[in-house]
Amino acid sequence: MTHPTDTAKSDELKAGGEGRPIEPNHASSAWYRGWEIGWNDMAAKWAGTGWDAYKGGCDLGAPRIQTSEWQDCLDEIDDYEDGDA
């Protein structure tokens, strides 16, 4: 049995989207460029940011990105990985 937040890392790629994953429902997560991205209800409610991304997955000390929009999260990951952050 899989946990509801487990997703196939490459199943959610959308053609024509530069290899970017499509936005998952809020009960799932996705992987992009080595980052695990998931929805955080508490962050959405209290801070206005719902998408959390952790490089290599959620772990203490892992680089983290928080945004309110899915595409903004992917853009910030691209900036980080391409050295523009």
Side-chain angles (χ1 to χ4, degrees):
M1 182 171 161
T2 61
H3 190 274
T5 59
D6 291 343
T7 60
K9 294 180 184 180
S10 59
D11 285 358
E12 298 180 353
L13 296 179
K14 179 166 66 171
E18 301 173 13
R20 291 176 156 211
I22 60 171
E23 182 174 338
N25 65 46
H26 290 178
S28 297
S29 62
W31 285 83
Y32 178 62
R33 297 186 75 175
W35 293 72
E36 182 180 19
I37 311 166
W39 182 257
N40 182 323
D41 286 330
M42 294 303 284
K45 180 177 180 176
W46 298 107
T49 60
W51 292 107
D52 273 335
Y54 294 90
K55 186 168 179 74
C58 185
D59 196 6
L60 292 175
R64 180 181 187 189
I65 292 173
Q66 293 179 290
T67 63
S68 59
E69 299 293 326
W70 175 255
Q71 291 299 325
D72 292 343
C73 189
L74 299 181
D75 290 343
E76 287 198 33
I77 290 170
D78 286 338
D79 289 345
Y80 184 94
E81 292 298 321
D82 296 338
D84 297 333

